[in-house]
Amino acid sequence: MLQAKILGTWLERRGRPTYVLSCLLQKQAESWHRYLSTSCARCSKSRRLRHKQDISEKKLTRCFVDHRRVQVIGGKGGDGVSCFHSEPRKAFGGPDGGNGGDGGHIILKVDQQMKSLASVFSVYRGISGENGGSKNCYGSAGRCTYIKVPIGTVVKEDSNVVVELVQHGEEYVAAYGGLGGKGNRFFLDNFNRAPMIATEGEPGQKRILHLELKTMAHAGMVGFPNVGKSSLLRAISNAKPAVADYLFTTLNPHVGIVHYENYEQVAVADIPGLIKGAHKNRGLGIAFLRHIERCRFLLYVLDLSVPEPWTQLQDLKYELEQYEGGLSKRPHAIIGNKLDLPQSKNHLPLLQERVQQRVIPLSALTGENLEALFSHLKELYDDYVKTEGTKKQKPLKW
């Protein structure tokens, strides 16, 4: 390394013994790159990056925001000017007051890099247009203010859905800027050769909007609390949701990416646990049931260690159907988790008899039979892509 050569040359000039040189080269040369500056690209790339600490669930609760009340006010238009042209040897130059510039709009723009509404402020004011000037100079219009929102943002006003933003780069004008005022040059006609009037700029549009985020993912894991949804997401992706042995460990939706060949990616969302009466806003309630609406297919995660695990599936489908009709009839897969426990193997045959549908038994803790889940998940994704192709729609790409 270049640092080692510099260190060796410096020690030789200082007349230090050889064993001191070897000791420093072996034990301390790795830490000397922090203090030695060099322009070598290879050495600069070898520097270790600081490890980013995992965000705790409490901090993530403050970071992840799926609802925001926003007041948007468009920019005010610039005022028109009333003035007359003044020039030597030209007594009656006529009116030359210019118009004011239009106010800037406030625009919602979808950005696929945004995953939360935490960066959205509560109040936005547009940029006002400049006033007009003499010599028939128009004021410049105010620049548009862009608010970046994640994919799946629903805009509501007075409890009515205004627009749903589901495509990257999609824009929606939340508030229009006011029109600029007219200068006295605008009012010049054959009957009034010296108008004195000029109008002020109009105020911008003022609205109060409610932004709601519905997580956009291919698959949504649905289950009761503490059935192992977060552990399963950690096992099949690089997502790191919190895992503990108490109820409601997951307080926010987490999205993990499952990678396949040909650079295909399937997004799997871990929805916080549901309980009986969730459609009546019990437990975490409707706040997270809306995240399931955008999922193309569902993964019902059941706990095989409890007696009669098929009742969990019936209760989950009932809650989804009560929240939105037809939601439980979407393409889905049934997953039996905690296969590593001894009582789970006894409950598995009973579950298969009652469900009369394929059940994928696995263990998120030991990784047993995860290959069956990967293959079945790919089949659901391929069916979704074919369905979107027949409808001539573009499938969701994460």
Side-chain angles (χ1 to χ4, degrees):
M1 293 178 59
L2 180 60
Q3 292 90 342
K5 294 181 180 179
I6 296 174
L7 179 62
T9 305
W10 179 77
L11 289 175
E12 290 178 358
R13 292 180 179 178
R14 300 285 295 182
R16 298 298 179 88
T18 307
Y19 70 91
V20 177
L21 174 61
S22 61
C23 179
L24 288 175
L25 289 177
Q26 293 178 1
K27 296 183 180 181
Q28 299 181 3
E30 294 182 358
S31 61
W32 271 61
H33 70 276
R34 303 176 185 174
Y35 310 101
L36 296 177
S37 61
T38 177
S39 59
C40 179
R42 182 179 302 176
C43 297
S44 61
K45 290 183 179 179
S46 63
R47 298 179 181 177
R48 296 180 180 179
L49 298 176
R50 294 183 179 179
H51 176 66
K52 187 176 180 180
Q53 296 181 355
D54 296 335
I55 301 178
S56 63
E57 194 70 20
K58 292 184 178 179
K59 291 184 179 179
L60 187 62
T61 303
R62 297 193 295 265
C63 296
F64 182 85
V65 178
D66 59 354
H67 180 271
R68 183 75 80 183
R69 179 184 180 273
V70 183
Q71 182 183 14
V72 289
I73 305 173
K76 179 183 178 298
D79 299 334
V81 175
S82 176
C83 60
F84 292 87
H85 183 72
S86 177
E87 187 178 349
R89 295 180 299 275
K90 195 171 184 180
F92 303 99
D96 67 347
N99 301 337
D102 298 337
H105 307 319
I106 297 180
I107 302 175
L108 300 176
K109 187 174 182 179
V110 180
D111 187 358
Q112 62 182 1
Q113 301 298 330
M114 304 293 294
K115 304 302 179 184
S116 172
L117 296 174
S119 60
V120 178
F121 299 112
S122 58
V123 178
Y124 283 91
R125 298 181 183 273
I127 302 176
S128 300
E130 294 185 358
N131 298 333
S134 59
K135 299 182 181 179
N136 201 26
C137 292
Y138 285 38
S140 61
R143 294 177 298 176
C144 296
T145 302
Y146 288 91
I147 306 175
K148 293 184 178 181
V149 295
I151 298 177
T153 302
V154 179
V155 183
K156 293 184 178 180
E157 186 177 14
D158 298 332
S159 301
N160 298 322
V161 178
V162 179
V163 65
E164 296 185 6
L165 306 175
V166 296
Q167 295 292 336
H168 173 66
E170 188 176 358
E171 296 182 359
Y172 171 72
V173 181
Y176 288 94
L179 297 177
K182 303 300 182 181
N184 62 341
R185 175 73 180 183
F186 177 81
F187 299 98
L188 177 65
D189 55 18
N190 294 331
F191 301 98
N192 187 4
R193 304 302 300 173
M196 301 290 293
I197 59 175
T199 60
E200 297 181 352
E202 297 180 358
Q205 187 181 11
K206 184 178 180 180
R207 301 173 67 185
I208 296 178
L209 303 177
H210 293 270
L211 306 182
E212 295 182 0
L213 174 61
K214 296 181 180 180
T215 304
M216 298 288 291
H218 298 110
M221 289 195 296
V222 186
F224 286 99
N226 206 19
V227 297
K229 299 186 300 297
S230 300
S231 300
L232 182 58
L233 186 64
R234 293 170 69 102
I236 64 177
S237 67
N238 292 329
K240 301 298 180 184
V243 176
D245 57 350
Y246 53 86
L247 301 179
F248 296 107
T249 307
T250 303
L251 301 177
N252 304 285
H254 295 265
V255 179
I257 306 299
V258 182
H259 298 272
Y260 290 95
E261 296 180 354
N262 300 327
Y263 302 101
E264 290 184 336
Q265 297 178 346
V266 179
V268 181
D270 175 19
I271 309 299
L274 305 177
I275 62 173
K276 293 183 179 180
H279 67 280
K280 299 179 181 180
N281 209 18
R282 294 180 181 175
L284 298 179
I286 302 177
F288 295 104
L289 272 173
R290 64 169 174 262
H291 291 282
I292 309 176
E293 295 181 27
R294 297 292 178 82
C295 296
R296 273 45 180 182
F297 43 90
L298 305 177
L299 302 178
Y300 293 103
V301 183
L302 310 180
D303 187 359
L304 293 178
S305 63
V306 299
E308 299 181 357
W310 55 88
T311 58
Q312 300 181 23
L313 181 61
Q314 298 173 357
D315 295 336
L316 290 174
K317 288 186 176 181
Y318 175 78
E319 295 296 332
L320 296 182
E321 197 66 26
Q322 292 297 317
Y323 174 72
E324 181 182 350
L327 187 58
S328 63
K329 299 179 181 179
R330 292 187 181 181
H332 61 272
I334 302 176
I335 301 172
N337 196 14
K338 302 184 181 181
L339 187 61
D340 53 297
L341 299 179
Q343 62 271 27
S344 300
K345 297 181 180 180
N346 299 329
H347 299 158
L348 179 59
L350 301 177
L351 175 63
Q352 293 175 340
E353 293 178 0
R354 295 297 185 96
V355 172
Q356 296 180 355
Q357 188 178 346
R358 181 187 177 187
V359 179
I360 304 175
L362 53 82
S363 173
L365 180 62
T366 61
E368 183 181 356
N369 204 26
L370 286 180
E371 294 80 4
L373 175 61
F374 284 125
S375 61
H376 192 66
L377 187 63
K378 186 63 168 57
E379 293 176 1
L380 292 174
Y381 176 74
D382 293 338
D383 294 340
Y384 157 70
V385 173
K386 292 179 181 179
T387 304
E388 294 295 314
T390 55
K391 298 180 181 178
K392 295 183 181 181
Q393 297 180 359
K394 187 178 180 180
L396 173 65
K397 296 293 183 181
W398 191 265

